[in-house]
Amino acid sequence: MKLISVPSAPFSGQKPGTSGLRKKVTVFRQPRYLENFVQAIFDTLSGQQGKTLVLGGDGRFYNDVAIQTILRMAAAAGFGRVLVGRDGILSTPAASAVIRKWQAFGGIILSASHNPGGPDGDFGIKYNLSNGGPANEGFTDAVYQRTQEISAYHTVDAADIDLGRIGELHIGEMLVTIIDPVADYAELLESLFDFERIAALLARPDFRMRFDAMHAVNGPYAHEILERRLGAPAGTVVNGTPLPDFGGGHPDPNPVYAAELVAALADSRSGLSFGAASDGDGDRNMIVGRDFVVSPSDSLAVIAANYALIPGYASGLAGVARSMPTSCAVDRVARELGIPCYETPTGWKYFGSLLDAGKATICGEESAGTGSSHVREKDGLWAVLYWLNILAVRDTPADVIVREHWQRFGRNVYSRHDYEGIDTAAGDRLMNDLRARLPQLVGTLCNELRVAAADDFAYTDPVDGSLSERQGVRILLEDGSRVVFRLSGTGTEGATLRVYLERYVADASQHEVPTQEALAPLIGLAETVAQIAANTGRKGPDVIS
Ligand code: VG1
Ligand code: CO
């Protein structure tokens, strides 16, 4: 096999964000752009010779082209074998499961997750380590450094290979094993949950579920697991055929982009009792009861509180972890269970060391991500099966489960307001002004709420001691409420400001107050403190979740 070194030169801005490198497809399609980044990953690794790489993506536009390029480059980098999903498909949690099961050296996942796809949409790439989890900041910083000094990439002279059939092929010396993208993952989930009991629930005439795969990668996974293995009626999975452009939509399971599912559950004529959805790469989830959207932070708390009902977790949780902006609902559960609760920066990569060290069993983020030690990524279908297992055992509707949870623990009323695609300079200015004013804010009365503390969140990993700074501005009020501000690290156009609002309400008679109403004083405070309208020119958020 002929090795080819192609001269190249650095592109600016190949800096991975919250979850890998995400850019417009038009950026990725520039000659040498993808190749440079992949070469930078391979140059940062050491000891990959003869080892196994896992490769797959969420099937979005450009997935097929990128996979072939990476296969050739993996051969040039000396990998001994690549495990690739059929048609180049692997959901993010499935890729993590495959890396772990086959003890691979690492994996490359092609996805821009919930971002839209298509020729004018987004593309993304990230590297996962041998534990199955996203590489940490130290690694991604090194990859970025490398992209800034790259002078060539290495590939081999080989034609595209047919990834449509399970089997084995060679590219030069390197073995390519094309695997069923669903099998290993489905087997893992089956080992954690009571499939018999869930199947019995799904067979009941008075229980009807809908799973919206949003034309994204989880379609085949949901068909196999929900309809085939668990026997849910055909048609339970909707939008189950993955499309390269996700049917033109945002494959983001929230009340705005999955409005159809929410509306169906709110309409008693639909006969539906439970709804769920997942995102582009299958790692996020949405849980919907009858006329009731479960907030992701509440979902995490309910999942932790009900661990004893789930076969894979009944022996106990070592601890739980949540990202800083995620509501403190799970903290209350941890306190009652007498287990530690860790608070990490946003992004799943920060949970990896806690999971590896056995410090946490269940983790979650307010952005609709929940998962556990079974893989090192958040896992959309895992969360759905966990909920189904709870419903099957408790024989109680989802909304009642959440309301009972609030009665027991109190309610952490929570919402996130997103201002998408604002001017980058305006976003930076807003955050910098805020940071500069933090010390003055403490002790002052703001919108009739007294500021108890204000800081920029910094995190020291309790396992490896690494420090991550500037992870979000927090304003903590004397009554225990908080407002958090941060800029998104996954967008590809301008900046996205996220404002996270949380207020604890113990009094059960106040639990049904609509969320935005209950949070109105905090929404006002956020505006006063950050001058969002003046800084961004926006009257209100684009997405409220
Ligand atoms: C967002 C979420 C974060 C999540 C990340 C990746 O990041 O807020 O919680 O881990 O997306 O999820 P940001 O930086 O835009 O706030 V996914 O499903 O896009 O891989
Ligand atoms: Co995702």
Side-chain angles (χ1 to χ4, degrees):
M1 179 75 17
K2 197 170 146 220
L3 266 168
I4 307 171
S5 289
V6 182
S8 193
F11 286 93
S12 64
Q14 289 198 318
K15 193 168 173 57
T18 312
S19 180
L21 182 71
R22 291 189 192 175
K23 299 283 175 196
K24 291 270 164 226
V25 167
T26 48
V27 173
F28 264 105
R29 283 174 109 178
Q30 298 172 85
R32 302 180 288 99
Y33 192 90
L34 172 75
E35 289 86 345
N36 273 15
F37 191 72
V38 172
Q39 191 61 54
I41 292 173
F42 290 162
D43 288 350
T44 305
L45 298 174
S46 63
Q48 74 269 32
Q49 274 69 28
K51 300 280 173 55
T52 299
L53 180 75
V54 171
L55 178 60
D58 65 9
R60 66 179 58 227
F61 185 85
Y62 204 55
N63 195 99
D64 50 354
V65 178
I67 290 267
Q68 300 286 348
T69 301
I70 296 169
L71 281 170
R72 282 187 282 268
M73 290 184 66
F79 279 98
R81 180 159 87 135
V82 176
L83 295 175
V84 56
R86 186 181 48 230
D87 293 323
I89 297 293
L90 280 175
S91 77
T92 291
S96 187
V98 171
I99 293 171
R100 293 171 68 76
K101 176 169 175 181
W102 300 103
Q103 297 176 354
F105 185 80
I108 290 182
I109 303 177
L110 303 176
S111 171
S113 190
H114 58 288
N115 299 16
D120 300 315
D122 290 351
F123 193 73
I125 173 168
K126 71 172 175 176
Y127 186 75
N128 282 29
L129 304 169
S130 61
N131 71 347
N136 52 25
E137 247 184 308
F139 184 90
T140 56
D141 285 350
V143 171
Y144 174 60
Q145 278 308 315
R146 186 71 198 134
T147 64
Q148 296 310 292
E149 57 202 31
I150 201 152
S151 59
Y153 72 84
H154 312 294
T155 184
V156 295
D157 182 18
D160 284 2
I161 57 172
D162 178 9
L163 296 174
R165 253 165 307 153
I166 289 168
E168 300 206 312
L169 296 164
H170 275 90
I171 296 180
E173 309 254 286
M174 187 182 79
L175 181 64
V176 179
T177 307
I178 301 161
I179 60 169
D180 175 345
V182 183
D184 293 330
Y185 174 74
E187 180 189 284
L188 177 60
L189 291 189
E190 217 165 328
S191 73
L192 299 172
F193 300 108
D194 189 340
F195 268 43
E196 255 172 58
R197 217 151 170 180
I198 298 173
L201 173 73
L202 291 169
R204 275 168 51 167
D206 60 338
F207 185 88
R208 264 192 65 206
M209 158 175 194
R210 177 179 294 175
F211 180 87
D212 190 340
M214 304 191 85
H215 296 299
V217 78
N218 256 351
Y221 292 85
H223 276 299
E224 171 64 25
I225 294 169
L226 294 173
E227 295 185 359
R228 274 189 285 279
R229 298 199 185 201
L230 288 164
T236 296
V237 178
V238 301
N239 300 323
T241 305
L243 299 172
D245 67 348
F246 309 115
H250 272 250
D252 191 356
N254 64 36
V256 175
Y257 297 125
E260 230 174 272
L261 178 72
V262 174
L265 265 293
D267 182 354
S268 58
R269 289 167 306 179
S270 72
L272 291 169
S273 21
F274 183 67
S278 56
D279 72 335
D281 59 335
D283 58 358
R284 296 186 180 200
N285 73 88
M286 177 160 79
I287 303 295
V288 194
R290 277 199 192 109
D291 200 11
F292 189 94
V293 178
V294 181
S295 104
S297 292
D298 281 342
S299 175
L300 173 65
V302 167
I303 281 174
N306 287 276
Y307 77 92
L309 309 180
I310 313 297
Y313 304 91
S315 63
L317 306 178
V320 292
R322 62 164 173 83
S323 67
M324 181 273 282
T326 302
S327 99
C328 302
V330 74
D331 302 37
R332 294 176 183 277
V333 175
R335 214 169 298 148
E336 193 171 300
L337 295 177
I339 56 171
C341 176
Y342 298 89
E343 185 179 38
T344 61
T346 293
W348 209 262
K349 57 181 177 244
Y350 296 103
F351 294 134
S353 66
L354 299 172
L355 292 163
D356 285 350
K359 287 183 177 294
T361 309
I362 285 177
C363 308
E365 294 191 281
E366 50 64 43
S367 54
T370 11
S372 87
S373 51
H374 70 294
V375 288
R376 293 292 180 274
E377 291 279 5
K378 52 190 186 272
D379 188 341
L381 269 169
W382 173 89
V384 175
L385 292 186
Y386 202 114
W387 267 91
L388 283 170
N389 204 150
I390 295 174
L391 300 181
V393 177
R394 289 185 50 179
D395 194 14
T396 307
D399 65 304
V400 179
I401 285 182
V402 177
R403 291 194 166 100
E404 286 179 4
H405 185 95
W406 292 342
Q407 272 162 24
R408 191 168 148 207
F409 294 97
R411 178 176 178 194
N412 289 73
V413 184
Y414 186 85
S415 182
R416 187 178 97 186
H417 290 193
D418 292 334
Y419 299 78
E420 295 184 337
I422 60 173
D423 178 57
T424 309
D428 290 340
R429 188 176 59 227
L430 182 151
M431 291 302 291
N432 289 335
D433 285 357
L434 205 50
R435 281 194 187 96
R437 277 185 295 114
L438 288 179
Q440 287 139 253
L441 281 175
V442 181
T444 62
L445 208 55
C446 206
N447 251 38
E448 289 167 40
L449 295 161
R450 188 158 312 270
V451 178
D455 67 2
D456 196 350
F457 182 60
Y459 176 68
T460 303
D461 186 301
V463 182
D464 64 21
S466 59
L467 174 69
S468 303
E469 289 177 294
R470 291 165 75 90
Q471 296 295 329
V473 166
R474 310 189 281 189
I475 299 184
L476 311 168
L477 288 315
E478 241 163 31
D479 68 351
S481 306
R482 25 171 228 164
V483 180
V484 174
F485 300 86
R486 62 179 280 283
L487 294 177
S488 157
T490 58
T492 60
E493 245 178 285
T496 290
L497 171 70
R498 304 202 194 285
V499 183
Y500 309 81
L501 308 139
E502 176 176 6
R503 188 182 142 205
Y504 180 66
V505 179
D507 178 1
S509 74
Q510 297 298 306
H511 287 170
E512 299 301 325
V513 175
T515 303
Q516 302 306 315
E517 196 179 313
L519 295 174
L522 291 174
I523 296 169
L525 179 142
E527 176 56 41
T528 313
V529 173
Q531 296 289 303
I532 302 171
N535 273 307
T536 66
R538 299 285 173 83
K539 286 203 189 73
D542 302 281
V543 177
I544 294 180
S545 54

